[in-house]
Amino acid sequence: MAYGIEMPGHESIADVFNRLAERYDSWYDRNAELFEREVITIPPPTKPSLEVGCGSGRFMERLGIDVGVDLSERLLKIARSRGCEVLIADGRLLPFRDDSFSSAYLIFTLCFLQNPESVLAEIRRVLRDDGVLTVCIVPRDSGLGMEYSSKNSPFYRIARFYREREVEEMLIKAGFEVTGTERTRIRHSENDFVCLSARLRGKGRPR
Amino acid sequence: MRRSLLDILACPLCRGDLDVEVIEEDQEEIITGNLICKECGELYPIENGIPNMLPPELREKV
């Protein structure tokens, strides 16, 4: 959620989420049915699990994800009030030892990353060899993606939506292989919400 | 943060192990304190139960 650092002359993405933390978080109450459809589409975590860009902890709480990081302190305070274990950290510099997690999640976060490649490289480092990364997106060419990108929302204005194929290519470049894809209709089309599961490609991965 | 988190935490800059300095702790977790890198000496504060693991130069920007 709140990732991707400074844009010269503009508010940083973390600033936007800090300023509008409560408004962002209340979306999930206002759209409870949509949130529910997303939750049931996401493959459940294997322990120990990490969410990068955990925001206010909505998905952590529902899915039972163990540890979350985000750049927005205000969103993390809300996550903590939900009982989530969270840290302020940059996805490009994760504060964890190598091979710490069995599963990792990027849920509606990729679109806010300024440098997704380096975040994927860090996730690869902290995942065990048999670990699974799940990336959940609203594709640019889905009904929901088109609705969101046409909205003049302070959040979507700073987001960059990808096509499913682009995310697959990004994952392969980062040393993952896509092992499964779940798609669901949230509002408009069968690919409104897509979860790609990926495993680390090859053993003895470079550090 | 719960103490058990220390088992997987590392310095984001040099990936060294961290020492913890507890200022306030309840039965479940550390509320206030510092995490200090054993390798490079960098200090990461814990406030309101949330560790700030950003490198110092990024802390002011976010």
CSV table of all heavy atoms in Angstrom, one decimal, chain A residues 57-118:
chain,number,residue,atom,x,y,z
A,57,GLY,N,-3.6,-3.2,8.0
A,57,GLY,CA,-3.7,-4.6,8.5
A,57,GLY,C,-5.0,-5.3,8.2
A,57,GLY,O,-5.2,-6.4,8.8
A,58,ARG,N,-5.7,-4.8,7.3
A,58,ARG,CA,-7.0,-5.4,7.0
A,58,ARG,C,-6.8,-6.9,6.5
A,58,ARG,O,-7.5,-7.8,7.0
A,58,ARG,CB,-7.8,-4.7,5.9
A,58,ARG,CG,-8.3,-3.3,6.3
A,58,ARG,CD,-9.5,-3.5,7.1
A,58,ARG,NE,-10.1,-2.2,7.4
A,58,ARG,CZ,-11.3,-2.0,7.9
A,58,ARG,NH1,-12.1,-3.1,8.1
A,58,ARG,NH2,-11.8,-0.9,8.2
A,59,PHE,N,-5.9,-7.1,5.5
A,59,PHE,CA,-5.7,-8.4,5.0
A,59,PHE,C,-4.9,-9.3,6.0
A,59,PHE,O,-5.2,-10.5,6.1
A,59,PHE,CB,-5.0,-8.4,3.6
A,59,PHE,CG,-5.9,-7.9,2.6
A,59,PHE,CD1,-5.9,-6.5,2.1
A,59,PHE,CD2,-6.8,-8.7,2.0
A,59,PHE,CE1,-6.7,-6.1,1.1
A,59,PHE,CE2,-7.7,-8.3,1.0
A,59,PHE,CZ,-7.6,-6.9,0.5
A,60,MET,N,-4.0,-8.7,6.7
A,60,MET,CA,-3.2,-9.4,7.7
A,60,MET,C,-4.2,-10.0,8.8
A,60,MET,O,-4.0,-11.2,9.1
A,60,MET,CB,-2.3,-8.5,8.5
A,60,MET,CG,-1.0,-8.1,7.8
A,60,MET,SD,0.1,-7.2,9.0
A,60,MET,CE,0.7,-8.5,10.0
A,61,GLU,N,-5.1,-9.2,9.2
A,61,GLU,CA,-6.0,-9.7,10.3
A,61,GLU,C,-6.9,-10.8,9.7
A,61,GLU,O,-7.0,-11.8,10.4
A,61,GLU,CB,-6.9,-8.5,10.7
A,61,GLU,CG,-7.9,-8.8,11.8
A,61,GLU,CD,-8.9,-7.7,12.0
A,61,GLU,OE1,-9.2,-7.0,11.1
A,61,GLU,OE2,-9.3,-7.5,13.2
A,62,ARG,N,-7.4,-10.6,8.5
A,62,ARG,CA,-8.3,-11.7,8.0
A,62,ARG,C,-7.6,-12.9,7.6
A,62,ARG,O,-8.2,-14.0,7.8
A,62,ARG,CB,-9.1,-11.1,6.8
A,62,ARG,CG,-10.2,-10.1,7.2
A,62,ARG,CD,-11.3,-10.8,8.1
A,62,ARG,NE,-11.8,-12.0,7.5
A,62,ARG,CZ,-12.8,-12.0,6.6
A,62,ARG,NH1,-13.3,-10.9,6.1
A,62,ARG,NH2,-13.2,-13.1,6.1
A,63,LEU,N,-6.4,-12.8,7.0
A,63,LEU,CA,-5.7,-14.0,6.5
A,63,LEU,C,-4.8,-14.6,7.6
A,63,LEU,O,-4.4,-15.7,7.4
A,63,LEU,CB,-4.9,-13.6,5.3
A,63,LEU,CG,-5.6,-13.1,4.1
A,63,LEU,CD1,-4.7,-12.5,3.1
A,63,LEU,CD2,-6.4,-14.3,3.4
A,64,GLY,N,-4.6,-13.9,8.7
A,64,GLY,CA,-3.7,-14.4,9.7
A,64,GLY,C,-2.2,-14.4,9.3
A,64,GLY,O,-1.5,-15.3,9.6
A,65,ILE,N,-1.8,-13.3,8.7
A,65,ILE,CA,-0.4,-13.1,8.3
A,65,ILE,C,0.4,-12.6,9.5
A,65,ILE,O,-0.1,-11.8,10.3
A,65,ILE,CB,-0.3,-12.1,7.1
A,65,ILE,CG1,-1.0,-12.6,5.9
A,65,ILE,CG2,1.1,-11.7,6.8
A,65,ILE,CD1,-1.2,-11.7,4.7
A,66,ASP,N,1.6,-13.2,9.7
A,66,ASP,CA,2.3,-13.0,11.0
A,66,ASP,C,2.9,-11.6,11.1
A,66,ASP,O,2.9,-11.0,12.2
A,66,ASP,CB,3.4,-14.0,11.1
A,66,ASP,CG,2.8,-15.4,11.1
A,66,ASP,OD1,1.9,-15.7,11.9
A,66,ASP,OD2,3.3,-16.3,10.3
A,67,VAL,N,3.6,-11.1,10.1
A,67,VAL,CA,4.4,-9.9,10.2
A,67,VAL,C,4.1,-9.0,9.0
A,67,VAL,O,3.9,-9.5,7.9
A,67,VAL,CB,5.9,-10.2,10.2
A,67,VAL,CG1,6.7,-8.9,10.4
A,67,VAL,CG2,6.2,-11.1,11.4
A,68,GLY,N,3.9,-7.7,9.3
A,68,GLY,CA,3.7,-6.7,8.2
A,68,GLY,C,4.6,-5.6,8.2
A,68,GLY,O,5.0,-5.1,9.3
A,69,VAL,N,5.0,-5.0,7.0
A,69,VAL,CA,5.8,-3.8,7.0
A,69,VAL,C,5.1,-2.8,6.0
A,69,VAL,O,4.4,-3.2,5.1
A,69,VAL,CB,7.2,-4.0,6.5
A,69,VAL,CG1,8.0,-5.0,7.4
A,69,VAL,CG2,7.3,-4.5,5.1
A,70,ASP,N,5.3,-1.5,6.3
A,70,ASP,CA,4.7,-0.5,5.5
A,70,ASP,C,5.5,0.8,5.8
A,70,ASP,O,6.3,0.8,6.8
A,70,ASP,CB,3.2,-0.3,5.9
A,70,ASP,CG,2.5,0.4,4.7
A,70,ASP,OD1,2.6,1.6,4.5
A,70,ASP,OD2,1.7,-0.3,4.0
A,71,LEU,N,5.4,1.8,4.9
A,71,LEU,CA,6.1,3.1,5.2
A,71,LEU,C,5.2,4.0,5.9
A,71,LEU,O,5.7,5.0,6.4
A,71,LEU,CB,6.5,3.7,3.8
A,71,LEU,CG,7.7,3.2,3.2
A,71,LEU,CD1,7.9,3.9,1.8
A,71,LEU,CD2,8.9,3.4,4.1
A,72,SER,N,3.9,3.8,5.9
A,72,SER,CA,3.0,4.8,6.6
A,72,SER,C,2.8,4.5,8.0
A,72,SER,O,2.1,3.5,8.4
A,72,SER,CB,1.6,4.8,5.8
A,72,SER,OG,0.7,5.5,6.7
A,73,GLU,N,3.3,5.3,8.9
A,73,GLU,CA,3.2,5.1,10.3
A,73,GLU,C,1.8,5.1,10.8
A,73,GLU,O,1.4,4.4,11.7
A,73,GLU,CB,4.1,6.1,11.1
A,73,GLU,CG,4.2,5.8,12.5
A,73,GLU,CD,5.2,6.8,13.3
A,73,GLU,OE1,5.7,7.7,12.6
A,73,GLU,OE2,5.3,6.6,14.5
A,74,ARG,N,1.0,6.0,10.2
A,74,ARG,CA,-0.4,6.1,10.7
A,74,ARG,C,-1.2,4.9,10.3
A,74,ARG,O,-2.0,4.5,11.1
A,74,ARG,CB,-1.1,7.4,10.1
A,74,ARG,CG,-0.9,8.6,11.0
A,74,ARG,CD,-1.6,9.8,10.6
A,74,ARG,NE,-3.0,9.8,10.8
A,74,ARG,CZ,-3.8,10.8,10.5
A,74,ARG,NH1,-3.3,11.8,9.8
A,74,ARG,NH2,-5.1,10.8,10.7
A,75,LEU,N,-1.0,4.3,9.1
A,75,LEU,CA,-1.7,3.1,8.8
A,75,LEU,C,-1.2,2.0,9.7
A,75,LEU,O,-2.0,1.2,10.2
A,75,LEU,CB,-1.4,2.7,7.3
A,75,LEU,CG,-2.1,3.5,6.3
A,75,LEU,CD1,-1.8,3.0,4.9
A,75,LEU,CD2,-3.6,3.5,6.4
A,76,LEU,N,0.1,2.0,10.1
A,76,LEU,CA,0.6,0.9,11.0
A,76,LEU,C,0.0,1.0,12.4
A,76,LEU,O,-0.2,0.0,13.0
A,76,LEU,CB,2.1,0.9,11.0
A,76,LEU,CG,2.8,0.5,9.7
A,76,LEU,CD1,4.3,0.6,9.9
A,76,LEU,CD2,2.4,-0.9,9.3
A,77,LYS,N,-0.3,2.2,12.8
A,77,LYS,CA,-0.9,2.4,14.1
A,77,LYS,C,-2.3,1.7,14.1
A,77,LYS,O,-2.7,1.1,15.1
A,77,LYS,CB,-1.0,3.9,14.5
A,77,LYS,CG,0.4,4.4,15.0
A,77,LYS,CD,0.3,5.8,15.5
A,77,LYS,CE,1.7,6.2,16.0
A,77,LYS,NZ,1.8,7.7,16.1
A,78,ILE,N,-3.0,1.9,13.0
A,78,ILE,CA,-4.3,1.3,12.9
A,78,ILE,C,-4.1,-0.3,12.9
A,78,ILE,O,-4.9,-1.0,13.6
A,78,ILE,CB,-5.1,1.8,11.6
A,78,ILE,CG1,-5.2,3.3,11.7
A,78,ILE,CG2,-6.4,1.1,11.5
A,78,ILE,CD1,-5.9,3.9,10.4
A,79,ALA,N,-3.1,-0.7,12.1
A,79,ALA,CA,-2.9,-2.2,12.0
A,79,ALA,C,-2.6,-2.7,13.4
A,79,ALA,O,-3.0,-3.8,13.8
A,79,ALA,CB,-1.7,-2.5,11.1
A,80,ARG,N,-1.8,-2.0,14.2
A,80,ARG,CA,-1.5,-2.5,15.6
A,80,ARG,C,-2.7,-2.5,16.5
A,80,ARG,O,-2.8,-3.4,17.3
A,80,ARG,CB,-0.4,-1.5,16.2
A,80,ARG,CG,0.4,-2.1,17.3
A,80,ARG,CD,1.4,-1.2,17.8
A,80,ARG,NE,1.2,-1.0,19.2
A,80,ARG,CZ,1.6,-1.9,20.2
A,80,ARG,NH1,2.1,-3.0,19.8
A,80,ARG,NH2,1.4,-1.6,21.4
A,81,SER,N,-3.6,-1.6,16.2
A,81,SER,CA,-4.9,-1.6,17.0
A,81,SER,C,-5.7,-2.9,16.7
A,81,SER,O,-6.6,-3.3,17.4
A,81,SER,CB,-5.7,-0.4,16.8
A,81,SER,OG,-6.3,-0.4,15.5
A,82,ARG,N,-5.4,-3.5,15.5
A,82,ARG,CA,-6.1,-4.8,15.1
A,82,ARG,C,-5.3,-6.0,15.6
A,82,ARG,O,-5.6,-7.1,15.3
A,82,ARG,CB,-6.2,-4.9,13.6
A,82,ARG,CG,-7.0,-3.8,13.0
A,82,ARG,CD,-7.5,-4.2,11.6
A,82,ARG,NE,-8.7,-3.3,11.3
A,82,ARG,CZ,-8.7,-2.2,10.7
A,82,ARG,NH1,-7.6,-1.8,10.1
A,82,ARG,NH2,-9.8,-1.5,10.5
A,83,GLY,N,-4.2,-5.7,16.4
A,83,GLY,CA,-3.4,-6.8,16.9
A,83,GLY,C,-2.4,-7.4,16.0
A,83,GLY,O,-1.8,-8.5,16.2
A,84,CYS,N,-2.1,-6.6,14.9
A,84,CYS,CA,-1.1,-7.1,13.9
A,84,CYS,C,0.3,-6.7,14.4
A,84,CYS,O,0.6,-5.7,15.0
A,84,CYS,CB,-1.3,-6.5,12.6
A,84,CYS,SG,-2.9,-6.8,11.9
A,85,GLU,N,1.3,-7.6,14.1
A,85,GLU,CA,2.7,-7.4,14.4
A,85,GLU,C,3.3,-6.6,13.2
A,85,GLU,O,3.4,-7.2,12.1
A,85,GLU,CB,3.4,-8.7,14.6
A,85,GLU,CG,4.9,-8.6,14.8
A,85,GLU,CD,5.3,-8.2,16.3
A,85,GLU,OE1,5.2,-7.0,16.6
A,85,GLU,OE2,5.5,-9.1,17.1
A,86,VAL,N,3.6,-5.3,13.4
A,86,VAL,CA,4.0,-4.5,12.2
A,86,VAL,C,5.3,-3.7,12.5
A,86,VAL,O,5.6,-3.4,13.6
A,86,VAL,CB,2.9,-3.6,11.8
A,86,VAL,CG1,1.7,-4.3,11.2
A,86,VAL,CG2,2.4,-2.7,12.9
A,87,LEU,N,6.0,-3.4,11.4
A,87,LEU,CA,7.2,-2.6,11.5
A,87,LEU,C,7.2,-1.5,10.4
A,87,LEU,O,6.7,-1.8,9.3
A,87,LEU,CB,8.4,-3.4,11.3
A,87,LEU,CG,8.7,-4.6,12.1
A,87,LEU,CD1,8.1,-5.9,11.5
A,87,LEU,CD2,10.2,-4.8,12.4
A,88,ILE,N,7.8,-0.4,10.7
A,88,ILE,CA,8.0,0.6,9.6
A,88,ILE,C,9.2,0.2,8.9
A,88,ILE,O,10.3,0.1,9.5
A,88,ILE,CB,8.2,2.0,10.2
A,88,ILE,CG1,7.1,2.4,11.1
A,88,ILE,CG2,8.3,3.1,9.0
A,88,ILE,CD1,7.4,3.7,11.9
A,89,ALA,N,9.1,-0.1,7.6
A,89,ALA,CA,10.3,-0.5,6.8
A,89,ALA,C,10.0,-0.3,5.3
A,89,ALA,O,8.9,-0.2,4.9
A,89,ALA,CB,10.6,-2.0,7.1
A,90,ASP,N,11.1,-0.2,4.6
A,90,ASP,CA,11.1,0.0,3.2
A,90,ASP,C,11.2,-1.3,2.5
A,90,ASP,O,12.1,-2.1,2.9
A,90,ASP,CB,12.4,0.9,2.8
A,90,ASP,CG,12.3,1.4,1.4
A,90,ASP,OD1,12.0,0.6,0.5
A,90,ASP,OD2,12.6,2.6,1.1
A,91,GLY,N,10.4,-1.6,1.6
A,91,GLY,CA,10.4,-2.9,0.9
A,91,GLY,C,11.7,-3.2,0.1
A,91,GLY,O,12.0,-4.3,-0.2
A,92,ARG,N,12.4,-2.1,-0.1
A,92,ARG,CA,13.7,-2.3,-0.8
A,92,ARG,C,14.8,-2.7,0.2
A,92,ARG,O,15.9,-3.1,-0.2
A,92,ARG,CB,14.1,-1.1,-1.6
A,92,ARG,CG,13.1,-0.6,-2.6
A,92,ARG,CD,13.4,0.7,-3.1
A,92,ARG,NE,13.4,1.7,-2.0
A,92,ARG,CZ,13.6,3.0,-2.2
A,92,ARG,NH1,13.8,3.5,-3.5
A,92,ARG,NH2,13.6,3.9,-1.2
A,93,LEU,N,14.6,-2.5,1.5
A,93,LEU,CA,15.6,-2.8,2.5
A,93,LEU,C,14.8,-3.5,3.7
A,93,LEU,O,14.6,-2.9,4.7
A,93,LEU,CB,16.2,-1.5,3.0
A,93,LEU,CG,17.1,-0.7,2.1
A,93,LEU,CD1,17.3,0.7,2.6
A,93,LEU,CD2,18.4,-1.4,1.9
A,94,LEU,N,14.4,-4.8,3.4
A,94,LEU,CA,13.6,-5.5,4.5
A,94,LEU,C,14.5,-5.8,5.7
A,94,LEU,O,15.6,-6.3,5.5
A,94,LEU,CB,13.0,-6.7,3.9
A,94,LEU,CG,11.9,-6.5,2.9
A,94,LEU,CD1,11.5,-7.8,2.2
A,94,LEU,CD2,10.7,-5.8,3.5
A,95,PRO,N,14.0,-5.5,6.9
A,95,PRO,CA,14.8,-5.7,8.1
A,95,PRO,C,14.8,-7.2,8.6
A,95,PRO,O,14.5,-7.4,9.8
A,95,PRO,CB,14.2,-4.8,9.1
A,95,PRO,CG,12.8,-4.7,8.7
A,95,PRO,CD,12.7,-4.9,7.2
A,96,PHE,N,14.9,-8.2,7.7
A,96,PHE,CA,14.8,-9.6,8.1
A,96,PHE,C,16.0,-10.3,7.6
A,96,PHE,O,16.6,-10.0,6.6
A,96,PHE,CB,13.6,-10.2,7.6
A,96,PHE,CG,12.3,-9.4,8.0
A,96,PHE,CD1,11.6,-8.7,7.0
A,96,PHE,CD2,11.8,-9.4,9.3
A,96,PHE,CE1,10.5,-8.0,7.4
A,96,PHE,CE2,10.7,-8.7,9.6
A,96,PHE,CZ,10.0,-8.0,8.7
A,97,ARG,N,16.3,-11.4,8.4
A,97,ARG,CA,17.4,-12.3,8.0
A,97,ARG,C,17.0,-13.1,6.7
A,97,ARG,O,15.8,-13.2,6.4
A,97,ARG,CB,17.7,-13.3,9.1
A,97,ARG,CG,18.2,-12.7,10.3
A,97,ARG,CD,18.5,-13.7,11.4
A,97,ARG,NE,18.8,-13.0,12.6
A,97,ARG,CZ,18.9,-13.6,13.8
A,97,ARG,NH1,18.8,-14.9,13.9
A,97,ARG,NH2,19.2,-12.9,14.9
A,98,ASP,N,18.0,-13.6,6.0
A,98,ASP,CA,17.7,-14.4,4.8
A,98,ASP,C,16.9,-15.6,5.2
A,98,ASP,O,17.0,-16.1,6.3
A,98,ASP,CB,19.0,-15.0,4.2
A,98,ASP,CG,20.0,-13.9,3.7
A,98,ASP,OD1,19.6,-12.7,3.7
A,98,ASP,OD2,21.1,-14.2,3.3
A,99,ASP,N,16.0,-16.1,4.3
A,99,ASP,CA,15.3,-17.3,4.5
A,99,ASP,C,14.4,-17.3,5.8
A,99,ASP,O,14.2,-18.3,6.4
A,99,ASP,CB,16.2,-18.5,4.6
A,99,ASP,CG,17.2,-18.6,3.4
A,99,ASP,OD1,16.8,-18.4,2.3
A,99,ASP,OD2,18.4,-18.8,3.7
A,100,SER,N,13.8,-16.2,6.1
A,100,SER,CA,13.0,-16.1,7.3
A,100,SER,C,11.5,-16.5,7.1
A,100,SER,O,10.9,-16.9,8.1
A,100,SER,CB,13.0,-14.6,7.8
A,100,SER,OG,14.2,-14.2,8.3
A,101,PHE,N,11.0,-16.4,5.9
A,101,PHE,CA,9.6,-16.6,5.7
A,101,PHE,C,9.2,-17.8,4.8
A,101,PHE,O,10.0,-18.0,3.8
A,101,PHE,CB,8.9,-15.3,5.2
A,101,PHE,CG,9.0,-14.2,6.2
A,101,PHE,CD1,10.0,-13.2,6.1
A,101,PHE,CD2,8.1,-14.1,7.3
A,101,PHE,CE1,10.1,-12.2,7.0
A,101,PHE,CE2,8.2,-13.1,8.2
A,101,PHE,CZ,9.2,-12.1,8.1
A,102,SER,N,8.1,-18.3,5.1
A,102,SER,CA,7.6,-19.4,4.2
A,102,SER,C,6.6,-18.9,3.2
A,102,SER,O,6.4,-19.5,2.1
A,102,SER,CB,6.9,-20.4,5.2
A,102,SER,OG,6.4,-21.5,4.4
A,103,SER,N,6.0,-17.8,3.5
A,103,SER,CA,5.1,-17.1,2.5
A,103,SER,C,5.2,-15.6,2.6
A,103,SER,O,5.5,-15.1,3.7
A,103,SER,CB,3.6,-17.6,2.7
A,103,SER,OG,3.1,-17.3,3.9
A,104,ALA,N,5.0,-15.0,1.5
A,104,ALA,CA,5.0,-13.5,1.4
A,104,ALA,C,3.9,-13.0,0.5
A,104,ALA,O,3.5,-13.7,-0.4
A,104,ALA,CB,6.4,-13.0,0.9
A,105,TYR,N,3.4,-11.8,0.8
A,105,TYR,CA,2.3,-11.2,0.1
A,105,TYR,C,2.6,-9.8,-0.3
A,105,TYR,O,3.1,-9.0,0.5
A,105,TYR,CB,1.0,-11.2,1.0
A,105,TYR,CG,0.5,-12.6,1.2
A,105,TYR,CD1,1.0,-13.4,2.2
A,105,TYR,CD2,-0.5,-13.1,0.4
A,105,TYR,CE1,0.5,-14.7,2.4
A,105,TYR,CE2,-1.0,-14.4,0.6
A,105,TYR,CZ,-0.5,-15.2,1.6
A,105,TYR,OH,-1.0,-16.4,1.8
A,106,LEU,N,2.1,-9.5,-1.5
A,106,LEU,CA,2.0,-8.1,-2.0
A,106,LEU,C,0.6,-7.9,-2.4
A,106,LEU,O,0.2,-8.3,-3.5
A,106,LEU,CB,3.0,-7.9,-3.2
A,106,LEU,CG,4.5,-7.7,-3.0
A,106,LEU,CD1,5.2,-7.7,-4.3
A,106,LEU,CD2,4.8,-6.3,-2.3
A,107,ILE,N,-0.2,-7.3,-1.6
A,107,ILE,CA,-1.7,-7.2,-1.9
A,107,ILE,C,-2.0,-5.7,-2.2
A,107,ILE,O,-1.9,-4.9,-1.3
A,107,ILE,CB,-2.5,-7.7,-0.7
A,107,ILE,CG1,-2.0,-9.1,-0.3
A,107,ILE,CG2,-4.0,-7.7,-1.0
A,107,ILE,CD1,-2.7,-9.7,1.0
A,108,PHE,N,-2.4,-5.4,-3.4
A,108,PHE,CA,-2.7,-4.1,-3.8
A,108,PHE,C,-1.5,-3.1,-3.5
A,108,PHE,O,-1.7,-2.0,-3.1
A,108,PHE,CB,-3.9,-3.5,-3.1
A,108,PHE,CG,-5.2,-4.1,-3.6
A,108,PHE,CD1,-6.1,-4.7,-2.6
A,108,PHE,CD2,-5.5,-4.2,-4.9
A,108,PHE,CE1,-7.3,-5.3,-3.0
A,108,PHE,CE2,-6.7,-4.8,-5.3
A,108,PHE,CZ,-7.6,-5.3,-4.4
A,109,THR,N,-0.3,-3.7,-3.6
A,109,THR,CA,0.9,-2.9,-3.2
A,109,THR,C,1.8,-2.6,-4.4
A,109,THR,O,2.3,-1.5,-4.5
A,109,THR,CB,1.7,-3.6,-2.1
A,109,THR,OG1,0.9,-3.7,-0.9
A,109,THR,CG2,3.0,-3.0,-1.8
A,110,LEU,N,1.8,-3.6,-5.3
A,110,LEU,CA,2.7,-3.4,-6.5
A,110,LEU,C,2.5,-2.1,-7.2
A,110,LEU,O,3.4,-1.5,-7.6
A,110,LEU,CB,2.5,-4.6,-7.4
A,110,LEU,CG,3.6,-4.9,-8.5
A,110,LEU,CD1,4.8,-5.5,-7.8
A,110,LEU,CD2,3.1,-5.9,-9.5
A,111,CYS,N,1.2,-1.7,-7.3
A,111,CYS,CA,0.9,-0.5,-8.1
A,111,CYS,C,1.4,0.8,-7.4
A,111,CYS,O,1.4,1.8,-8.0
A,111,CYS,CB,-0.6,-0.4,-8.3
A,111,CYS,SG,-1.6,-0.4,-6.8
A,112,PHE,N,1.8,0.7,-6.1
A,112,PHE,CA,2.4,1.9,-5.4
A,112,PHE,C,3.9,1.8,-5.3
A,112,PHE,O,4.5,2.7,-4.7
A,112,PHE,CB,1.8,2.0,-4.0
A,112,PHE,CG,0.3,2.2,-4.1
A,112,PHE,CD1,-0.6,1.3,-3.6
A,112,PHE,CD2,-0.2,3.4,-4.6
A,112,PHE,CE1,-2.0,1.5,-3.6
A,112,PHE,CE2,-1.6,3.7,-4.6
A,112,PHE,CZ,-2.5,2.7,-4.1
A,113,LEU,N,4.5,0.8,-5.8
A,113,LEU,CA,6.0,0.7,-5.7
A,113,LEU,C,6.7,1.5,-6.8
A,113,LEU,O,6.4,1.3,-8.0
A,113,LEU,CB,6.4,-0.8,-5.8
A,113,LEU,CG,5.9,-1.7,-4.7
A,113,LEU,CD1,6.3,-3.2,-5.0
A,113,LEU,CD2,6.4,-1.3,-3.4
A,114,GLN,N,7.7,2.3,-6.4
A,114,GLN,CA,8.4,3.0,-7.3
A,114,GLN,C,9.5,2.1,-8.0
A,114,GLN,O,9.8,2.3,-9.2
A,114,GLN,CB,9.1,4.2,-6.6
A,114,GLN,CG,9.3,5.4,-7.6
A,114,GLN,CD,10.0,6.5,-6.8
A,114,GLN,OE1,10.9,6.3,-6.0
A,114,GLN,NE2,9.6,7.7,-7.1
A,115,ASN,N,10.0,1.1,-7.3
A,115,ASN,CA,11.0,0.3,-7.8
A,115,ASN,C,10.6,-1.2,-7.5
A,115,ASN,O,11.3,-1.8,-6.6
A,115,ASN,CB,12.3,0.7,-7.1
A,115,ASN,CG,13.5,0.0,-7.8
A,115,ASN,OD1,13.3,-1.0,-8.6
A,115,ASN,ND2,14.7,0.6,-7.6
A,116,PRO,N,9.6,-1.7,-8.2
A,116,PRO,CA,9.2,-3.1,-7.8
A,116,PRO,C,10.2,-4.1,-7.9
A,116,PRO,O,10.2,-5.1,-7.2
A,116,PRO,CB,8.0,-3.3,-8.8
A,116,PRO,CG,8.1,-2.3,-9.8
A,116,PRO,CD,8.8,-1.1,-9.3
A,117,GLU,N,11.2,-4.0,-8.8
A,117,GLU,CA,12.2,-5.0,-9.0
A,117,GLU,C,13.0,-5.2,-7.8
A,117,GLU,O,13.3,-6.3,-7.4
A,117,GLU,CB,13.2,-4.6,-10.2
A,117,GLU,CG,12.5,-4.6,-11.6
A,117,GLU,CD,11.7,-3.4,-11.9
A,117,GLU,OE1,11.8,-2.4,-11.1
A,117,GLU,OE2,11.0,-3.4,-12.9
A,118,SER,N,13.4,-4.1,-7.1
A,118,SER,CA,14.2,-4.2,-5.9
A,118,SER,C,13.4,-4.8,-4.7
A,118,SER,O,14.0,-5.5,-3.9
A,118,SER,CB,15.0,-2.9,-5.6
A,118,SER,OG,14.1,-1.9,-5.4
